[in-house]
Amino acid sequence: MIDYLSIHWLDILTTVLGLIYLLLEYRASIALWIVGIVMPAMDVYLYWTHGLYGDAGMAVYYTVAAVYGYAVWKFGSKKGQTKGEDMPITHFRRSLIVPATAFFAVAWALTYWVLVTYTNSTIPLCDSFTNALSFVGLWALSRKYIEQWLFWLVVDMISCYLYVTKGIPFKAGLYGLYSVVAVMGYFKWKKMMVESKA
């Protein structure tokens, strides 16, 4: 048991932080960004040592993006938002679909190229896909678009599979849970969005 914990302690710790992050995201609490800075910083090492180089790079991005997300939720605003009001949950604007899709495609291609060219990644196609979609998902979360949950649902299901195959069991379980909560979170945010307009 001690040996098992000594091998998986970082996986366990980041999983616990992930559960806290998930609860805070579900509640649309700005505190999620604080956990969102600490957890991915630890994940950089965890993923790198398991050959998930795309995910390690993504964890660096998550750390920096969490600082951005906190700043946007704290100081940013949306059209129609009154002064002093928290940023409201809204739908993804249609005008953003084409640019977001184009960004995703370019990010996927570039990440794939980097993984194939500069690493010994054994799963570059899936690894680069989840990373590229995570860029879009994290941006959508920072703007409080309800559709961010749909992006994360896809990322979470694929990541769960990847972590099982790479021998990171606790993180795999966390992402399995993330998949379930992504569905619940979508409906929770939808309810919050309707209530804020009432």
Side-chain angles (χ1 to χ4, degrees), residues 61-111:
Y61 168 74
Y62 279 155
T63 305
V64 174
V67 175
Y68 168 79
Y70 178 83
V72 171
W73 279 34
K74 183 77 175 172
F75 307 109
S77 63
K78 289 184 178 178
K79 186 177 180 181
Q81 181 179 341
T82 59
K83 188 172 182 178
E85 174 191 27
D86 287 342
M87 179 182 286
I89 298 167
T90 59
H91 281 290
F92 197 85
R93 294 194 323 263
R94 288 184 184 201
S95 62
L96 296 172
I97 293 173
V98 171
T101 303
F103 175 83
F104 163 74
V106 170
W108 187 9
L110 285 175
T111 307

Side-chain angles (χ1 to χ4, degrees), residues 50-53 115 119-125 127 165-166:
H50 284 81
L52 292 166
Y53 305 115
L115 291 178
T119 76
N120 62 349
S121 176
T122 57
I123 45 172
L125 192 64
D127 202 3
T165 62
K166 284 294 185 175

Side-chain angles (χ1 to χ4, degrees), residues 23-34:
L23 175 64
L24 294 171
E25 182 181 5
Y26 180 78
R27 294 180 174 176
S29 169
I30 194 169
L32 76 93
W33 297 112
I34 305 303

Side-chain angles (χ1 to χ4, degrees), residues 7 12 28 30 47 57 80 136 139 178-180:
I7 292 169
I12 295 168
I30 194 169
Y47 294 144
V136 178
W139 171 79
Y178 275 2
S179 300
V180 173

